[in-house]
Amino acid sequence: DQQVKQNSPSLSVQEGRISILNCDYTNSMFDYFLWYKKYPAEGPTFLISISSIKDKNEDGRFTVFLNKSAKHLSLHIVPSQPGDSAVYFCAASARENDMRFGAGTRLTVKP
Amino acid sequence: KAGVTQTPRYLIKTRGQQVTLSCSPISGHRSVSWYQQTPGQGLQFLFEYFSETQRNKGNFPGRFSGRQFSNSRSEMNVSTLELGDSALYLCASSLGTPPLHFGNGTRLTVT
């Protein structure tokens, strides 16, 4: 059951522009959301998170937005850099560490 | 602080065999989670152990099992291997709540 969906398998942006990665979820019990970044041959690394009591969280170039009514979250990267090229996974949790992931979006940032 | 260590990095097994994968969490982390990653499916949650007890479980058949030792190290076992079990198996540890910190995975190929 795909409770977390990333409908865009890939995204390509120009260096310096904004990258927007989207994620939808179906389980209204999810109360904590995370984004992970994955390079080939490495495990995912934690990027940024947001709890359901907030609608925005910023960390440097990365901002996560949460729209609970639409069950939608997005990750904004501004400005995008070539080193940001990776697969980005959205994840959601309803309790403890029972965390569900989306299928991932491959971001390519072109110089 | 050392990260999450998974061994072996690569495994090739034959259909019908069984396999055991190992995971050493970050020192001090009591929670270990296991995920299966296949192309297009993202990370599928297998199970989570906390203080030697299985705390959460995903929707995988009983051929997939795990355990956690008193030092928090964990093993995952897959019996009667099928071709569809070929995947990257990722282990992640945490203090008990998100975020999870992932290892680099074990690539299992079933022939």
Side-chain angles (χ1 to χ4, degrees), chain A residues 38-45, chain B residues 4-6 8-10 37 88-91 101-107:
Chain A
K38 186 179 185 299
Y39 293 117
E42 294 182 12
T45 54
Chain B
V4 177
T5 304
Q6 291 188 246
R9 283 301 305 271
Y10 302 94
Q37 186 188 7
L88 179 67
Y89 290 89
L90 290 159
C91 165
H101 302 271
F102 284 86
N104 288 332
T106 294
R107 170 78 58 189

Side-chain angles (χ1 to χ4, degrees), chain A:
Chain A
D1 58 343
Q2 279 298 102
Q3 299 183 53
V4 179
K5 295 179 184 178
Q6 292 177 258
N7 292 320
S8 298
S10 63
L11 174 68
S12 182
V13 300
Q14 210 65 36
E15 181 179 5
R17 299 289 186 100
I18 183 172
S19 294
I20 300 176
L21 297 104
N22 294 303
C23 178
D24 297 295
Y25 61 94
T26 57
N27 188 342
S28 57
M29 299 299 291
F30 287 144
D31 59 5
Y32 198 74
F33 304 88
L34 308 90
W35 285 94
Y36 281 81
K37 176 177 171 180
K38 186 179 185 299
Y39 293 117
E42 294 182 12
T45 54
F46 169 67
L47 203 52
I48 191 169
S49 63
I50 188 168
S51 93
S52 60
I53 62 172
K54 293 185 172 182
D55 54 18
K56 177 183 172 182
N57 189 27
E58 257 180 285
D59 184 1
R61 297 185 297 114
F62 302 90
T63 303
V64 56
F65 294 93
L66 175 62
N67 182 334
K68 287 188 292 294
S69 59
K71 294 192 179 67
H72 177 84
L73 68 156
S74 61
L75 174 68
H76 292 209
I77 306 173
V78 184
S80 302
Q81 299 172 355
D84 296 329
S85 296
V87 177
Y88 289 78
F89 290 98
C90 160
S93 167
R95 62 178 190 276
E96 299 147 345
N97 283 336
D98 185 350
M99 194 176 300
R100 306 299 168 124
F101 284 76
T105 296
R106 181 177 301 280
L107 173 65
T108 303
V109 181
K110 297 179 179 176

